[in-house]
Structures are given as structure tokens and as C-alpha cells.
Amino acid sequence: MKNQKLGLLLLEIFGVVLFLLFLSPIFLLVINSAKSSAEILASPLSWPASFGQLWTNAVTIWNNPSIKYPSSFFASTIITVISLVTITLFSALAAWGLVRYRSKLSTVVFFIFVASMVIPFQVVMYPLVTWFKILSDAITNPLFGVSLLRTYPGIIFAYTGFGMSLSVFMFHGFIKGVPLEIEEAAELDGCNKMQTFFYVVLPILKPIYVTILILNGIWIWNDFLLPLLLLGKGNAIQTLPIAVSNFAGSFTKQWDMILTSTLLIMLPVIILFLIAQKHIMKGMVDGAIKS
């Protein structure tokens, strides 16, 4: 009995140590966001003299004409929201079709989705930009007038493609646990396939839907490399991570601006995560078990 209590005590201590370890970067980010760049370089671990400096830094960032933080915030919001809509809608439809219409082909397609999750992004970076350039040259004409480089459609199209694999995998595992009889009853009541999906299946997918929204939302909101490749620096459309990188030059780095802007970027994601954490945990557990 004493050994059991000692083991639990050690586990609790280990958990507290891990909690403090993972919390320490956020703590350092917050206290250094309330300092000037000189204070950060002089003493990064010290407590700030006043947290009023945090507000001053935030106002400076927001009004900086070279960074264009408001327009970057707007661009990140547009890209994230539309990408999440397309990823979740198309992946839910794809997973539903793969589960309900079983065949050798559907099994192969599902395993292709799963296999694509293990391909490192760095492997497809150059081919991605090359093919986007080829496609842009092919479709940019008076009829379409759309380019895939340095535009909203291009970056959203890329995020939709990269986000589909994990989303299809998670939706697939969850849908397998949805009784087929519910859909059959809806069809007997006069629903066609699309009505059955949107009115019957989709509401049942709420827990896993929220989970996929959060996971993909955090990735898209914080991503730097893909927007840098497809949008570039100095473009009229730039996301928040690219805007933050403008504070770091070749010879000087504005650490107060970098850290404060990073904190501002984190806040929407943290708030959204706290609101939806119940659905996230339930969706991840249910999707994993039913896979």
C-alpha cells in the first residue's frame, strides 16, 4: 500500500514538473512581451518593470505601416476560415463515401490518404511550387483570370490538399461507429444521399468535426513555410507569421516586437482551444478507438 502511494506521489511530481516545463516558454513569452528590446537582451528572465509596456508594444505593432498587421490579420483569418470549411466538408464527404461504399478501390484510396500523412512537406516543396507555376500559367487567361501563386485561391487550394489526409483518416474512424440504420431510415423518409449526409450524418459528426477544425486551424494559423512559398514576402497578401518575420532583419532583430506579435497571434487559438477542448478530447478518443 505504501509503495502504491509512493508511486502515485512520484507520478504527480513528475506531472507537475512536466507541466512547468511546457508552461515555461509561454511564461517567458508573456514577461518579455512587456519589456523593451534592450531590457530583453539585458535580462530575459527578469520580471518586467510594468506590464503597461505590453500594451505599448501591441499598439506599435498594430500601427506599424511596414508590417501592415491589420491586413495580415485579415488575410490569416480569410485563409484559415475558408481552408477549414473546404477541408472539413470535402474530407467528411470523402470519408463517408469510403465507409459506406466499400470496395477494393475504396480501400486503396483510404490507404493512399493514410500513407500521404507520413510524407514530409520538405519532400514536396519544390514540386509543389513548380506545379503551381505550371497550373497558374495554364489557367491564367481571360476566361479564368485566376493564378495559384500569390493569391487566396492558391494558398487555400494547397491547405485543402495537405489537410485532407489526416481529416479523412479521423472522419473515417468516427463514421464507422455511426449506425447505418439511421441513414436508411432517413432515406425511407424521402431523403436523397446529400440530404442524408447534411441533415443526418453531419450533426452526428460534431465532436470529431470540432477536433479537426481545431487541429487544422492551429496548423494553418501558425504556418510559415507554405505561405512563404506560395505568397512570398512583400506581397499584398501576407499572413501573420510572415508579418512577424519582418521584425527580424539580417543585422537587427526587434525582440520586443517579435515576442509581442507572437503573443497576439497565439491568443485567438488559445481562446478557441479553451472553448472547444471538451469536443476535442471526445473527438480524438472516439476517432482513435473506432479506427
Side-chain angles (χ1 to χ4, degrees), residues 110 169-174 176-177 284-291:
F110 175 68
F169 174 73
M170 296 184 70
F171 273 127
H172 189 277
F174 196 92
K176 284 165 65 177
M284 292 185 72
V285 172
D286 289 351
I289 292 174
K290 292 169 186 175
S291 293

Side-chain angles (χ1 to χ4, degrees), residues 47-68:
W47 196 258
S50 171
F51 276 95
Q53 183 67 35
L54 176 59
W55 177 255
T56 303
N57 291 344
V59 172
T60 303
I61 291 168
W62 191 265
N63 295 326
N64 191 317
S66 62
I67 301 301
K68 300 178 181 178

